[in-house]
Amino acid sequence: MTDLIYTLETFLSEKGIYAMTFILMGLGIFGMISCGNYMKKIMCMNIMQVSIIFFFLALGQKEHATLPVIVENVLGADAYINPLPHALMLTAIVVSLGTTGVALALLMKIKEIYGTIEEEEITGKGWRK
């Protein structure tokens, strides 16, 4: 039993971020498919975007590396973390905020026109009846 706990702790400490990423992505996809409310679909879209950002940031890490700032007694590029994935994910966060803002604006207009944000009532194709 102790070996199993040690193995689980080792796996989660080394690969836990990847497990969390896949769980979040699955949760987002499941929500997009199963939810009929457009607001919930927007939230699930954001969950998927966050999981992709986690994934890229986890890929950008190296063991025993430091921030890309010049430090005394540290020589060579192998001692530094690559800053490019972090910069790209910062851009992805800004794009995510923009798409969320546009989606919420469209959702407000849909609510104004149709009086609801339920997909079944708007499209008339309710499979949940």
Side-chain angles (χ1 to χ4, degrees):
M1 185 67 170
T2 307
D3 292 336
L4 177 66
I5 293 173
Y6 178 74
T7 305
L8 183 63
E9 286 178 355
T10 305
F11 173 76
L12 289 177
S13 66
E14 294 175 359
K15 308 292 185 202
I17 189 76
Y18 298 111
M20 184 181 73
T21 298
F22 290 119
I23 289 170
L24 284 175
M25 180 59 83
L27 183 66
I29 290 172
F30 175 75
M32 288 288 286
I33 293 170
S34 65
C35 291
N37 187 312
Y38 286 132
M39 184 66 189
K40 290 179 183 176
K41 286 183 183 273
I42 291 172
M43 290 189 308
C44 291
M45 179 186 69
N46 283 333
I47 290 171
M48 289 191 305
Q49 289 171 342
V50 166
S51 72
I52 291 169
I53 290 169
F54 279 164
F55 182 70
F56 274 97
L57 290 178
L59 284 179
Q61 297 299 319
K62 288 194 298 190
E63 287 188 33
H64 309 295
T66 185
L67 297 174
V69 178
I70 297 176
V71 180
E72 291 182 27
N73 302 327
V74 177
L75 301 173
D78 291 340
Y80 296 111
I81 296 172
N82 186 4
L84 184 62
H86 297 82
L88 289 174
M89 291 307 105
L90 186 62
T91 305
I93 291 169
V94 172
V95 170
S96 172
L97 288 173
T99 56
T100 302
V102 170
L104 289 174
L106 289 172
L107 189 63
M108 287 173 54
K109 196 66 172 172
I110 288 171
K111 173 75 173 165
E112 181 182 312
I113 293 172
Y114 294 102
T116 184
I117 56 173
E118 295 295 327
E119 184 177 17
E120 292 176 0
E121 296 176 17
I122 293 172
T123 61
K125 298 178 182 178
W127 58 274
R128 291 181 182 88
K129 292 181 181 178

